[in-house]
Amino acid sequence: MSENVLLSSLTTLGVGGPARNYVEAATEADIIAAVRAADRAGEPLLIVGGGSNLVVSDDGFDGTVLKIASQGFKATARDSCGGASVVVQAGHDWDHFVHESVLHAWSGLEALSGIPGLTGATPVQNVGAYGADVSQTIAAVRVWDREKDAVHTFTNSELGFGYRDSLIKQTTVNGSPRHVVLTVEFQLPLGRMSAPVKYAELARRLGVEVGKRANSLQLRRTVLELRAAKGMVLDPGDRDTWSTGSFFTNPVVTAAEAATLPADAPGWPAADGRTKLSAAWLIEHAGFSKGYGLARDGLARDGVARDGVARDGVDEAGTTPRASLSTKHTLAVTNRGGATAGDVLEIAREVRDGVVRRFGITLHPEPVLVGCHL
């Protein structure tokens, strides 16, 4: 156990104060032992994986931070009818497993290439991109249930998957879950062709019609290119990737709310007759361009550029702000260097409030906010 480890060193956003206690667990037994020790001591507990979906307060975390570091995956079954059943340790790097699945001719995960973080986090958020999400391939998730002090296995139907949502997320408070993920089991069809391509931009790049399949390796490479162009593939030398990825989820609204938007506002059918909107479109059309930022000496208060407010990542004095929207994509709030959690949240509040003023729609954060709020 270590003390006062900076959480900024454990997150892709690069912000967050010290953890009072820090523990790294490389096996399932170590994970369970660390969780039980914190619970028995009455310690607040924060679970950290890849740190790609966390915004941690500048005050840090006054409790135990547990870093999940278990590794490996194993195919427990493989046949032409049922496909491959693959159990992955919670601490295994997600994109490494996606790459391995493509190389093993296990189909279904290729559109989720390049997403940072660990496998154990994927069912929590029902991680998704380019028309796919993990709920389509997860068979079961083994967890440590802190309330029952026991291992439990959830089947897919028991996990309550929704858009960036699950039962595990719903029972997590301030980054501290009731259910600590130990392993994730995927059921993957065999073959070197992808799952049907559902995302129009991806289909165009691949030269196929929406709903058709493509070579899985080619699809993975194309997704990585698309993500890199948006600053969504981690690169220490590119400040646009110092983020949590998309900071806001795409809002799902009633038909009446959707009808108040301009005719060119993109939208897609969602459950119960609702419509899913593009958060990026709302942000851009509320007046926030790529690179909109927080200058070191002042803020815009109404989403309109003023003296001292950064556009395109540089303010009027030529100073790089501490935090700004990505210069490649308006959905990501980025650390330009030396940003605090407060800097990041101030940008997010500006954007959220500006969209409310312009369209009357409230955007909600996708990352977990620990010890802080919008």
Side-chain angles (χ1 to χ4, degrees), residues 113-196:
S113 294
I115 296 174
L118 305 184
T119 301
T122 62
V124 180
Q125 288 280 118
N126 188 18
V127 163
Y130 297 105
D133 61 53
V134 293
S135 74
Q136 298 160 359
T137 51
I138 285 178
V141 178
R142 287 178 66 253
V143 303
W144 177 255
D145 186 333
R146 295 167 63 193
E147 288 191 9
K148 294 184 177 179
D149 200 38
V151 173
H152 179 77
T153 299
F154 288 108
T155 63
N156 183 295
S157 62
E158 294 171 323
L159 284 162
F161 284 126
Y163 172 61
R164 302 298 175 268
D165 197 18
S166 72
L167 172 68
I168 302 172
K169 180 178 179 179
Q170 293 164 14
T171 52
T172 297
V173 179
N174 201 30
S176 188
R178 169 181 170 177
H179 306 288
V180 179
V181 176
L182 301 173
T183 62
V184 184
E185 181 180 355
F186 294 89
Q187 191 71 32
L188 304 171
L190 303 182
R192 299 203 177 275
M193 298 299 284
S194 71

Side-chain angles (χ1 to χ4, degrees), residues 8 10-15 50-54 116 234 241-245 335:
S8 58
L10 302 174
T11 63
T12 56
L13 185 58
V15 303
S52 59
N53 201 47
L54 287 177
L234 293 180
T241 72
W242 289 63
S243 75
T244 61
N335 179 350

Side-chain angles (χ1 to χ4, degrees), residues 61-349:
F61 188 76
D62 188 21
T64 295
V65 172
L66 173 60
K67 166 77 172 177
I68 305 295
S70 52
Q71 298 290 313
F73 62 89
K74 182 179 180 181
T76 59
R78 179 186 171 107
D79 64 69
S80 57
C81 295
S85 295
V86 189
V87 176
V88 190
Q89 296 297 316
H92 197 90
D93 181 79
W94 171 249
D95 191 54
H96 179 269
F97 174 60
V98 173
H99 189 201
E100 288 293 319
S101 74
V102 172
L103 296 180
H104 281 78
W106 301 333
S107 178
L109 300 180
E110 51 283 335
L112 303 178
S113 294
I115 296 174
L118 305 184
T119 301
T122 62
V124 180
Q125 288 280 118
N126 188 18
V127 163
Y130 297 105
D133 61 53
V134 293
S135 74
Q136 298 160 359
T137 51
I138 285 178
V141 178
R142 287 178 66 253
V143 303
W144 177 255
D145 186 333
R146 295 167 63 193
E147 288 191 9
K148 294 184 177 179
D149 200 38
V151 173
H152 179 77
T153 299
F154 288 108
T155 63
N156 183 295
S157 62
E158 294 171 323
L159 284 162
F161 284 126
Y163 172 61
R164 302 298 175 268
D165 197 18
S166 72
L167 172 68
I168 302 172
K169 180 178 179 179
Q170 293 164 14
T171 52
T172 297
V173 179
N174 201 30
S176 188
R178 169 181 170 177
H179 306 288
V180 179
V181 176
L182 301 173
T183 62
V184 184
E185 181 180 355
F186 294 89
Q187 191 71 32
L188 304 171
L190 303 182
R192 299 203 177 275
M193 298 299 284
S194 71
V197 180
K198 299 179 181 180
Y199 196 79
E201 180 185 14
L202 180 58
R204 286 195 299 271
R205 288 287 295 270
L206 290 166
V208 301
E209 296 179 6
V210 173
K212 300 297 184 180
R213 301 174 188 269
N215 176 270
S216 292
L217 186 56
Q218 181 187 2
L219 190 148
R220 171 176 164 78
R221 289 170 176 165
T222 303
V223 166
L224 289 174
E225 291 171 0
L226 288 169
R227 291 185 65 87
K230 298 175 182 179
M232 295 293 182
V233 176
L234 293 180
D235 177 357
D238 182 358
R239 299 305 301 196
D240 278 333
T241 72
W242 289 63
S243 75
T244 61
S246 298
F247 197 93
F248 296 104
T249 57
N250 291 321
V252 178
V253 301
T254 65
E257 290 172 314
T260 66
L261 298 174
D264 61 342
W268 301 270
D272 302 322
R274 296 162 73 85
T275 299
K276 182 165 74 172
L277 306 175
S278 167
W281 187 95
L282 294 169
I283 290 167
E284 291 165 10
H285 287 77
F288 300 95
S289 64
K290 298 172 185 176
Y292 176 89
L294 170 64
R296 295 181 188 276
D297 58 352
L299 286 169
R301 295 297 175 189
D302 55 7
V304 178
R306 295 184 180 180
D307 291 346
V309 175
R311 291 281 181 174
D312 301 323
V314 180
D315 67 16
E316 294 179 356
T319 302
T320 301
R322 289 189 297 260
S324 78
L325 295 184
S326 168
T327 64
K328 300 181 181 72
H329 199 282
T330 54
L331 267 181
V333 182
T334 63
N335 179 350
R336 311 311 297 185
T340 64
D343 293 330
V344 169
L345 292 170
E346 195 68 51
I347 288 290
R349 290 188 193 104

Side-chain angles (χ1 to χ4, degrees), residues 32-43 144 146 149:
I32 293 172
V35 173
R36 295 182 82 182
D39 287 346
R40 288 173 177 173
E43 280 269 302
W144 177 255
R146 295 167 63 193
D149 200 38

